[in-house]
Amino acid sequence: DTGVSQDPRHKITKRGQNVTFRCDPISEHNRLYWYRQTLGQGPEFLTYFQNEAQLEKSRLLSDRFSAERPKGSFSTLEIQRTEQGDSAMYLCASSPQGASSYEQYFGPGTRLTVT
Amino acid sequence: EDQVTQSPEALRLQEGESSSLNCSYTVSGLRGLFWYRQDPGKGPEFLFTLYSAGEEKEKERLKATLTKKESFLHITAPKPEDSATYLCAVRPSGGYQKVTFGIGTKLQVIP
């Protein structure tokens, strides 16, 4: 398995536009996480899925953000009406169920720039 | 609210000069403390999970230890390829999946 993949790797958009990012987790992992990371900061938790169910959402996830994992495999994160403050690296991670569930494996991230 | 404080923010070492990175945490019941390595422009890479005070884990030149209030990442005889940002994170007990990260320690190892 090649690990967690994210697409696109980079996205430049104008303020007010909508953007959507995709994450493909490691195939046997049923847990999926989204994080946001700005320069010089650690990743900030956004949301968590177990299979297709979204079980946790951070207060950081405003009404403009929505995430889905329709079939319990890949996930999408959509940001509507982007603002300059949304510029960040968006990271996806996955983990297996069971004893190793604490080990999160991160993708390379999608870097969003809002102009 | 869970908090993670890492120090120093940046550390410059000569190759072979051992040192330690500190992670102080405040959490409502610790389910796990994690160390990750992050290279520029990449996602974090999992290193260790520690579950209870007194626990230690090792991987190559890295050794992580845990007390009730802090964790240390000891780097023995570092090499230039150990240069990266090292992130500490905690997960509270209670069934929550949210993990809180510190801002990291940026380590530079000079040949």
Side-chain angles (χ1 to χ4, degrees), chain A residues 1 46 51 58 60 77 97 101:
Chain A
D1 187 76
L46 293 178
N51 300 311
S58 165
L60 292 173
L77 178 68
Q97 211 164 6
S101 65

Side-chain angles (χ1 to χ4, degrees), chain B residues 50-109:
Chain B
L50 301 168
Y51 297 99
S52 57
E55 190 174 0
E56 299 182 350
K57 288 195 176 171
E58 287 188 67
K59 180 180 180 179
E60 297 180 355
R61 295 176 293 282
L62 301 176
K63 179 180 177 180
T65 62
L66 180 64
T67 73
K68 288 187 177 180
K69 294 185 177 180
E70 56 191 351
S71 177
F72 293 93
L73 185 65
H74 308 276
I75 304 176
T76 302
K79 298 182 178 181
E81 54 262 40
D82 294 323
S83 298
T85 295
Y86 290 85
L87 296 163
C88 175
V90 296
R91 180 178 159 186
S93 58
Y96 298 104
Q97 296 293 323
K98 177 184 176 182
V99 172
T100 299
F101 280 83
I103 66 171
T105 293
K106 186 173 183 178
L107 174 65
Q108 184 183 13
V109 182

